[in-house]
Amino acid sequence: MSTCRGVDVSAYQAKQDWAAHKEDGVVFAFAKATEGQRSKDSRFDSHMAGITKAGLVPGAYHFGWPTQDPAREAANYIAAVKPYARRGFLHWLDLERYSDGRNYGRRNNAEIRAWVTRWLALVDEAFPGQRVGVYTSGSDLTAGHVPPGVPLWYPAYPWGPASYSKAESVGRPRPANREPEFWQFTSQPIDRSICYMSAAALRAWAAGTTPVPEEDDPMAGMSNKDIASAVWETDGVVGVPPEWTSKGNPEWKPASILIDLGKRVRSLDAKLTAQTATIKALADALAARDGSVDVDALVSRITQAIERVTVRLDVPEEG
């Protein structure tokens, strides 16, 4: 499965060298924007300026307090991200319980789910066509706090400090039988995540389109020439001429290929027949010279060799 790499930051992280992150293979970056009804992250604007300048897939997140008014929390977030939220921007609700539970209070599971649903709807309404998802734990998912079909960014740290390659080498997590689009696998030395899409697929997805999942598309990334060659090689035909797909037939139309193939087979047959006649004439000359050449046996052997290497097909004539 294709993946791509990213980081997320907040006021706890100093100014980042985003160009260096990009050179290291980072494709996306998310920054904390807001928390609760009034708080805005002190480094949000500087982080977003760097992320945007580096050309990374941008996103922001809001730390939620289900004990408060979802409309006021959504308004706080919307105001903070509006200067940056263009097409391709990803929005996240950070739904996680403080250790003392102060942001969940006495809310039951149904009330938290209703709060989450309302916040997501308000942000989706403010930024039509843009992706709005939830960053949350397996326990919140198990409790039913997140509606189905919502994009997920899942945090779980099985190793402590870890490299991207380590996360990419293991299977995709499935918390509460859900498949997250993103997995935050470590917070050391910085929050790191992988996305279960290629860089190109992520950009398309963030822009509001949904490409065919690469694991379900065995021809993803193949040119028409590659596809044609693979089909003919599977059928036992090798050496497919490149012009079948690159000259005059860029869409690899089967009828055109069969017509072209027929021409080539007939041309090959004519050339081999002519070569056989030439060889026979030479053999006749040798036989006349010293009588040591069995002309009929030589021609028979040549004909048998031709039949072994020639593919004779019932192909349509042109037109």
Side-chain angles (χ1 to χ4, degrees), residues 4-294:
C4 59
R5 302 172 175 183
V7 299
D8 63 278
V9 293
S10 69
Y12 291 106
Q13 283 75 44
K15 183 178 180 180
Q16 299 291 299
D17 187 341
W18 293 108
H21 280 308
K22 188 174 183 178
E23 289 178 2
D24 289 339
V26 168
V27 172
F28 61 91
F30 308 144
K32 182 178 181 180
T34 50
E35 181 171 344
Q37 297 179 150
R38 291 177 295 275
S39 175
K40 179 179 176 181
D41 189 272
S42 61
R43 293 187 185 274
F44 175 64
D45 291 308
S46 61
H47 285 323
M48 286 309 308
I51 291 168
T52 303
K53 184 177 180 180
L56 303 176
V57 176
Y61 65 92
H62 169 85
F63 192 96
W65 281 65
T67 56
Q68 299 179 359
D69 181 1
R72 292 182 66 182
E73 290 205 27
N76 184 28
Y77 173 80
I78 291 166
V81 304
K82 194 170 184 178
Y84 310 102
R86 302 293 183 263
R87 187 168 183 243
F89 193 96
L90 300 176
H91 305 273
W92 298 100
L93 170 62
D94 184 348
L95 182 68
E96 52 184 315
R97 182 183 182 274
Y98 272 115
S99 58
D100 61 4
R102 64 186 184 274
N103 63 322
Y104 277 28
R106 295 180 180 274
R107 300 294 191 268
N108 61 37
N109 291 337
E111 290 171 330
I112 293 174
R113 181 187 177 110
W115 187 97
V116 169
T117 301
R118 180 61 176 155
W119 190 95
L120 295 173
L122 289 167
V123 174
D124 185 68
E125 182 181 348
F127 303 106
Q130 297 182 18
R131 303 284 183 179
V132 185
V134 177
Y135 168 100
T136 199
S137 66
S139 59
D140 279 278
L141 292 170
T142 300
H145 293 166
V146 181
V150 174
L152 292 178
W153 176 16
Y154 172 63
Y157 311 148
W159 309 294
S163 65
Y164 288 107
S165 58
K166 189 172 185 67
E168 291 161 346
S169 69
V170 300
R172 186 176 187 171
R174 289 183 57 86
N177 291 319
R178 302 272 293 262
E179 284 195 343
E181 282 77 12
F182 297 80
W183 174 29
Q184 187 188 78
F185 61 89
T186 187
S187 61
Q188 302 174 45
I190 191 173
D191 287 350
R192 290 175 171 172
S193 299
I194 57 174
C195 171
Y196 292 97
M197 305 177 211
S198 67
L202 172 59
R203 290 186 184 278
W205 182 81
T209 59
T210 306
V212 176
E214 294 176 28
E215 63 271 21
D216 295 334
D217 182 7
M219 295 186 293
M222 294 178 68
S223 66
N224 290 329
K225 176 181 174 182
D226 293 333
I227 295 170
S229 295
V231 170
W232 287 108
E233 288 172 9
T234 299
D235 289 342
V237 181
V238 297
V240 178
E243 59 265 30
W244 284 3
T245 55
S246 63
K247 294 180 181 178
N249 190 21
E251 297 181 359
W252 185 58
K253 298 175 182 177
S256 298
I257 286 183
L258 287 174
I259 291 170
D260 199 344
L261 181 60
K263 290 180 180 178
R264 290 176 180 277
V265 169
R266 285 186 287 273
S267 175
L268 176 62
D269 186 64
K271 289 178 181 179
L272 290 173
T273 299
Q275 291 298 323
T276 300
T278 299
I279 293 170
K280 185 177 186 302
L282 292 172
D284 286 334
L286 287 171
R289 181 178 179 181
D290 58 17
S292 61
V293 177
D294 186 338

